[in-house]
Amino acid sequence: MEKETMVTLAHGAGGKKTSELIERVFRAHFENPNLTADDAAVLEAPKGRIAMTTDGFIVSPAFFPGGNIGKLSICGTVNDLACMGAEPLYLTCSFIIEEGFPMEKLEQIVASMAKTAKEAGVRIVAGDTKVAGKGQADGVFITTTGIGVLREDVNLSGAYAKPGDAVLVTGDIGRHGCTILLEREELGIEAEVTSDCAPLAGLVDAMLGVTKEIHVIRDATRGGVGTVLSEIAKESGVHVRIESEALPLHPAVKGVTGLLGLDPLYLANEGTMVVILPKEQAEAVLAVLHRTKYGEQAAIIGEVTEGDRAQVVLTTEIGAEVQLSQPGGELLPRIC
C-alpha cells in the first residue's frame, strides 16, 4: 500500500491511522528500551535529587539554517536541565500537527529529535500526538518534558551571584535570533549565519569538572543575554558590569544587527549559556570550554560588583555606560 504523504485528521483520531503514524514515524526513530506503548513509561527512580522541566515550541519557520523545531525541542529541554546541574535522563514529547502537514517533513523533524537526543545522552520514553484541523495550528507544535538527576555538591540558581564573580558566556551571542529573523522576514539581506542550536549538557559537565563552585548557569534563549543578566541581577540583588568589546559576535550577526539597529544582547540564543562563578576560577573554566565542541567562542564578558541597586551596566567601546534592562514590549524577532 502506498504511504500517505500528508498528515490527516484520521492520524489523530486514535484508531488504525494513529497506530500507523506512531509505528512509521515515532517508534521508528525513538525506539529504546524505555519507550512505552502503554499509558505511561515505567522508569527506574534515580538516587538523589531530580530536576524536571517542560517547554513548548512553536517556532516559525519550522526549518531554519542549523536546525528545525525538532532539534530545538530537544536542545531547549536538555539545556534547561543542564543549567540546574542535572544530568538529563528522560524526555517525553507531545505533538500538535496541523492537518495537511507533509509526512516527509514530520519524519525529518522526528529524525532530528532522535539524533539530538542520542548526542545528548537522553532517552525519549513517552509521548502524545494530536492532529488539529486545517488553520487551527501553524504546521507543528511540540511540547517536551525532561527529567534529570542532580549532581552531588552542585547548587545553581539565579539568586546565587555574588560580588567578585566573573560573568562568562559559553559561545557567541544572538546567532539564533538573527538566523530566524533572516529566514522569516524578506529583508533582502544576504548573510552566512546559522542557528547555534545545540545540546549543552556535555559542556556543563566539562565546567563542573573544573569546579563545583559555579553559582549560576542560565540558557540565554528568549530575550538573550541582556534579559538573562537583568533577571540574575534582580534575583541576586547585585550589580553586573559587562564590556561591549568583550562580547563574542559572529561577523554576520554583527553586520546584520548593525544594519537593522538591533542589539545582539537581546537576540535569542539556543547554544549559549550565561555562567557566573568565582573570578579566581573563571580562566580555568574558560580554558576547558575552549576545548569543547560548543564552547570555542566562550568569553569572559564582565563581573559582578558591589552596587546600590540591582542592575546591569554595559561599558561601550567609547567608554560610555549604558544601563541594560528587561525589554518591556515585543521582542524582535518573536521566536516562539
Side-chain angles (χ1 to χ4, degrees), residues 4 6-13 17 98-101 103 131-132:
E4 293 180 86
M6 299 289 183
V7 175
T8 68
L9 288 174
H11 286 114
K17 292 290 186 182
E98 184 182 17
E99 176 189 12
F101 192 76
M103 195 71 75
V131 178

Side-chain angles (χ1 to χ4, degrees), residues 174-182 184-185 187 221-224 227 256-257 260-269 327-336:
R175 190 145 49 91
H176 179 73
C178 184
T179 300
I180 296 299
L181 177 68
L182 294 179
R184 182 187 300 162
E185 308 294 343
L187 299 174
T221 52
R222 276 185 301 178
T227 297
V256 170
T257 55
L260 298 177
L262 298 174
D263 189 340
L265 278 166
Y266 293 103
L267 290 180
N269 310 269
E330 184 77 5
L331 292 171
L332 294 174
R334 189 173 189 273
I335 63 167
C336 59

